[in-house]
Amino acid sequence: MWGCGALLGAPTRWRLWRKVLVACGRGWSAASPHSASADPSRVRALVYGHHGDPAKVVELKKLELAAVGGSDVHVKMLAAPINPSDINMIQGNYGLLPKLPAVGGNEGVGQVVAVGSSVTGVKPGDWVIPANAGLGTWRTEAVFSEEALIGVPSDIPLQSAATLGVNPCTAYRMLTDFEQLRPGDCVIQNASNSGVGQAVIQIAAARGLRTINVVRDRPDIQKLTDRLKSLGAEHVLTEEELRKHEMKHLFKDMPQPRLALNCVGGKSSTELLRHLAPGGTMVTYGGMAKQPVVASVSQLIFKDLKLRGFWLSQWKKDHSPAQFKELILTLCGLIGRGQLTAPACSELPLQDYQRALEASMRPFVSSKQILTMC
């Protein structure tokens, strides 16, 4: 099931979401920055007290809402996705782990309800997203410090805003930072139906780059192929097709890729390396197969291939908040021009989190699970 990404067109989805937002916003008041916690029991959050299977350790709890200090912002969360990194964090298998107990969720969008007296960057009514991982977005509302948030335009689709801060940023940086690509150059990637993969396809198309997109075979492969090609994918291949001798004919009509993006590892990453142009780079940003990346000696010596890694959290540490803000606004520009859309998604209310978690870990699911907070 493709979920809302395929059942409704973007304009229709957005009109429906505007109605939802109006309903969610009724009764909000920004008159007093210290009046946010009139009803502490209204705050609901998905909390885990120890690491393990998300289906077993995540619980829906009521939390108290902290008073708003001078540099704080009271935020009503609107929507938050479930990403693979969220699952890994709950399992304890991630490079950044919050102090327990913790609220799940690293990404999402909320609307400012009230601000402290010294807050200057955002105002009531603005939309905001997390500046860094670990904020805990799977909750109905919270009080955050101003520096933990980044304002985004409120005229972009809600699903685009909710899924803006992780996957599109990763896609943009990998397409920008490792090879000097020019229009007509080729990029090859695996896990092409993932959130990052769909963003890569669209950002590459906006730049005039050609893409070879590898996916796992599945019963609805033609439906997936059509979906990715509608985003701008030039070629969509299964892992099995990538290994065939006939692949050499593909490069009669297009250049060999100079950049490979690997989110799988194992045999899949080995195949990406095999098709890279001499001097090319493979960037690994995930390991879905939980198998090591294997490169032959001949590929490294005679083709001078480069193996790199990318982690958005590390990129943020190495760059200023202003540079991340610039990246976000660049992506918002692509969204505004219709060159970048949210991944196919399925929406579930916060109280149905068990279904959402289960669906997010199910194989061959091409829709991202988004928790809505109303």
Side-chain angles (χ1 to χ4, degrees):
M1 179 177 178
W2 283 102
C4 60
L7 295 177
L8 296 174
T12 302
R13 292 200 310 270
W14 185 222
R15 286 194 297 271
L16 291 173
W17 261 112
R18 279 297 185 191
K19 294 179 181 178
V20 172
L21 294 180
V22 170
C24 289
R26 289 193 185 107
W28 289 1
S29 172
S32 170
H34 297 283
S35 63
S37 56
D39 182 11
S41 65
R42 72 185 177 189
V43 181
R44 294 172 296 134
L46 298 181
V47 180
Y48 57 102
H50 57 276
H51 298 298
D53 181 353
K56 297 179 180 179
V57 301
V58 175
E59 298 178 287
L60 181 61
K61 294 188 174 183
K62 292 182 178 180
L63 302 179
E64 291 188 6
L65 191 64
V68 180
S71 61
D72 292 336
V73 181
H74 175 197
V75 177
K76 169 69 172 69
M77 293 304 300
L78 302 175
I82 301 177
N83 289 319
S85 58
D86 300 323
I87 300 299
N88 294 152
M89 191 172 284
I90 295 169
Q91 294 170 332
N93 301 323
Y94 198 63
L96 173 67
L97 298 176
K99 182 180 179 180
L100 300 180
V103 176
N106 293 300
E107 189 179 31
V109 61
Q111 187 167 31
V112 175
V113 178
V115 300
S117 58
S118 62
V119 172
T120 58
V122 295
K123 62 185 184 302
D126 286 353
W127 281 13
V128 290
I129 64 173
N132 291 294
L135 194 63
T137 55
W138 296 350
R139 60 176 113 192
T140 55
E141 56 189 303
V143 173
F144 302 117
S145 65
E146 181 183 10
E147 65 181 12
L149 304 169
I150 291 180
V152 297
S154 59
D155 59 352
I156 63 175
L158 186 82
Q159 292 161 4
S160 294
T163 58
L164 176 61
V166 177
N167 294 330
C169 294
T170 296
Y172 187 94
R173 294 264 54 102
M174 291 194 301
L175 287 170
T176 303
D177 295 348
F178 297 95
E179 288 285 339
Q180 297 299 311
L181 301 175
R182 299 178 180 178
D185 284 344
C186 180
V187 177
I188 187 170
Q189 64 167 340
N190 55 25
S192 303
N193 59 312
S194 66
V196 171
Q198 292 180 55
V200 164
I201 290 169
Q202 295 176 84
I203 297 170
R207 294 184 175 186
L209 303 175
R210 307 173 72 177
T211 57
I212 300 172
N213 303 278
V214 184
V215 297
R216 289 181 295 175
D217 198 6
R218 63 196 66 207
D220 62 344
I221 185 63
Q222 189 57 53
K223 185 177 182 180
L224 175 58
T225 298
D226 294 342
R227 161 72 179 168
L228 297 183
K229 286 191 173 182
S230 73
L231 297 178
E234 184 166 349
H235 296 282
V236 179
L237 305 170
T238 65
E239 298 276 2
E240 291 75 19
E241 290 172 328
L242 187 66
R243 299 187 183 104
K244 291 183 178 179
H245 182 70
E246 290 78 9
M247 266 295 298
K248 65 179 183 180
H249 301 305
L250 187 67
F251 298 111
K252 292 181 179 179
D253 301 318
M254 67 188 308
Q256 278 189 287
R258 293 177 52 197
L259 179 67
L261 305 178
N262 168 47
C263 185
V264 179
K267 293 180 180 179
S268 179
S269 58
T270 301
E271 287 300 314
L272 295 188
L273 284 170
R274 191 164 67 87
H275 294 291
L276 263 183
T281 301
M282 184 174 78
V283 182
T284 294
Y285 67 98
M288 293 170 56
K290 298 182 179 179
Q291 296 175 356
V293 171
V294 179
S296 70
V297 171
S298 62
Q299 288 173 328
L300 298 177
I301 295 176
F302 302 123
K303 292 185 68 176
D304 190 26
L305 300 184
K306 299 178 286 291
L307 303 180
R308 300 290 303 275
F310 182 82
W311 184 30
L312 183 63
S313 293
Q314 186 62 50
W315 185 91
K316 290 180 183 179
K317 291 178 182 178
D318 296 338
H319 295 78
S320 69
Q323 288 173 302
F324 183 54
K325 174 74 172 180
E326 181 182 0
L327 171 58
I328 291 295
L329 293 180
T330 297
L331 294 169
C332 287
L334 291 174
I335 293 170
R337 293 190 294 273
Q339 295 175 309
L340 179 62
T341 61
C345 66
S346 297
E347 297 164 5
L348 286 171
L350 186 67
Q351 59 267 28
D352 287 344
Y353 70 96
Q354 290 281 14
R355 288 172 54 200
L357 288 171
E358 179 185 351
S360 70
M361 294 185 286
R362 193 181 303 141
F364 302 119
V365 174
S366 297
S367 58
K368 182 170 289 295
Q369 306 301 306
I370 293 185
L371 297 168
T372 56
M373 308 304 170
C374 289

